[in-house]
Amino acid sequence: MTVTEATHTKHTTAGTGATAGTPVSPARAAQELNLKRGEFDLAVHLGLIETERAAGGVTPRVRRGEIDRLRSLPGFPESLRDRVRTAGTAEGAALLGVSPVRFTGLARIGCVSPVAFYLNRYRAVVWLYRVEELLAFAAAEPDLVGGKRPAGMRAMLDAGTDWRARNWRSRRVDRALNRTEDPWVRAALHASGLDPVQLAEVVDDPYERAYLARMRPDPVYGRPGSLAGREAMAKLMLADDPDEILWRRVNLTLELDRARETRPAPRPGCAPVPRRGREPARGPGRETTPRTWPETAEPTGPASRRTGARRPDPGRRLLARLGLRRPASGDH
């Protein structure tokens, strides 16, 4: 029996001793799946491992059936570890057969996108890329990898283009959006890419901003433990390109409109009361117990009884809320 087979048998035996269907901690799941903790976190981030929230807890848990499913895959555990294997610039360049300078250029213009980072001893960001994606790119674009650099690529690099952080942010937010249908959580994810000044321009209600901060989910992957790592993560999460900032502001505005229709942000002294309908369905691993939220008051008074009142143009209102134009007298 090989070492891998012996380890697999040991973990299988340990798993049968636990209560069937009882979720386990991430550390226990990583051990039973023969993954390092960083590999396990990346697998969760990529959607390869499904987690769930423990009742009344914060840390995600993994069901026993999910562990058994992964251990039954062909080629386990090497097949699972290959899917979360990452490489830095030097190793990635060697895999593609190019120089580190050429590899960095491909990453800067978005041909390959990082999935993680770490800080070296100089506290500089070192990007990591999935080996599986690098090999797929090399097979699909051999001329771009090994041929002469196209004029467009040279022009972008000469202009200082660097989309590595932007693409890393986009991948993190998009994967988190795929895990939830709650409009307030989705709005919070878009808000996470804006600095406080940008956020206040889009969301002028301080209670809504506070609620967005509370609804922002913890990252399922890449949560650095050191203070320097947390500071780097916070800085990298903020959009720094005008196009990206505008994209986040537009999506936040649209998602916030949907969230307000679902339930209002809680305010001091506003006790929750039963509301009609159920909370929107959530993604995998999130609680599905319906909650109650305070109802919004229906407008009353003479203004609500006017039938011929002119309503502001929605497009103009959106531009005003994004800070791209001054609101007209009829805008809210």
Side-chain angles (χ1 to χ4, degrees), residues 9-20 28 32 64 68 71:
T9 302
K10 175 183 176 182
H11 288 160
T12 302
T13 304
T16 56
T19 304
R28 175 67 178 272
E32 296 193 22
R64 175 64 54 190
D68 294 340
R71 289 199 304 211

Side-chain angles (χ1 to χ4, degrees), residues 253-268:
T253 300
L254 298 176
E255 203 67 63
L256 192 59
D257 286 341
R258 192 164 72 93
R260 288 165 176 160
E261 294 176 356
T262 304
R263 63 183 185 271
R267 298 173 182 275

Side-chain angles (χ1 to χ4, degrees), residues 85-92 95 103 127-131 134:
R85 180 186 168 196
T86 59
T89 298
E91 185 181 355
L95 287 172
F103 181 89
W127 294 111
L128 298 174
Y129 307 82
R130 283 183 73 190
V131 170
L134 296 180

